[in-house]
Amino acid sequence: MEILGATLRICVDDLETAVPFYERLAGGTALRFERGGVSVAAVGCFLLMSGPSAELEVLRKVAATIAVKDVDETHAVLTELGAHIVAGPIASPAGRNLIAMHPDGMVYEYVDRRG
């Protein structure tokens, strides 16, 4: 399993106010999309999310998004190591993803760029 990087997940009240700050901080332009009623802006290593509080409450439980080369391989490794696969693998706007709870209770999203 190859880890390519990590993205910090940040829930914000006002995406339009937060995006310019993070664009300036990261030195790039945000990629925006909607997912399940939540507005998302990805900029640099930050994933900003804004939406209904019930949706955000679920998203806050995921500590970080980890980019991997292959979600299927990651699924196999995580399962072998005793992680609980909470959801996925499924298609997402950024590629395929899965959500796993590690044996220590931490929850992470794993995503690849494959279609």
Side-chain angles (χ1 to χ4, degrees), residues 15 107 113:
L15 195 64
V107 178
R113 300 289 184 224

Side-chain angles (χ1 to χ4, degrees), residues 2-115:
E2 185 177 344
I3 294 176
L4 305 174
T7 301
L8 305 170
R9 299 165 61 94
I10 303 167
C11 295
V12 298
D13 292 329
D14 184 351
L15 195 64
E16 297 310 314
T17 300
V19 165
F21 172 84
Y22 284 95
E23 284 179 330
R24 181 85 189 270
L25 182 65
T29 303
L31 169 66
R32 296 174 182 244
F33 57 93
E34 297 279 325
R35 182 153 186 214
V38 174
S39 297
V40 181
V43 58
C45 66
F46 302 103
L47 188 64
L48 309 173
M49 300 172 285
S50 183
S53 56
E55 294 289 331
L56 293 180
E57 194 59 36
V58 171
L59 295 172
R60 282 188 175 98
K61 294 177 181 177
V62 179
T65 297
I66 300 170
V68 294
K69 187 172 181 180
D70 185 326
V71 161
D72 293 326
E73 179 185 2
T74 300
H75 182 278
V77 170
L78 288 168
T79 302
E80 177 184 324
L81 293 173
H84 170 69
I85 306 303
V86 177
I90 60 170
S92 77
R96 295 176 311 135
N97 74 343
L98 67 80
I99 297 175
M101 179 184 294
H102 292 187
D104 62 8
M106 294 299 296
V107 178
Y108 296 94
E109 174 187 38
Y110 290 86
V111 64
D112 66 24
R113 300 289 184 224
R114 297 168 50 155

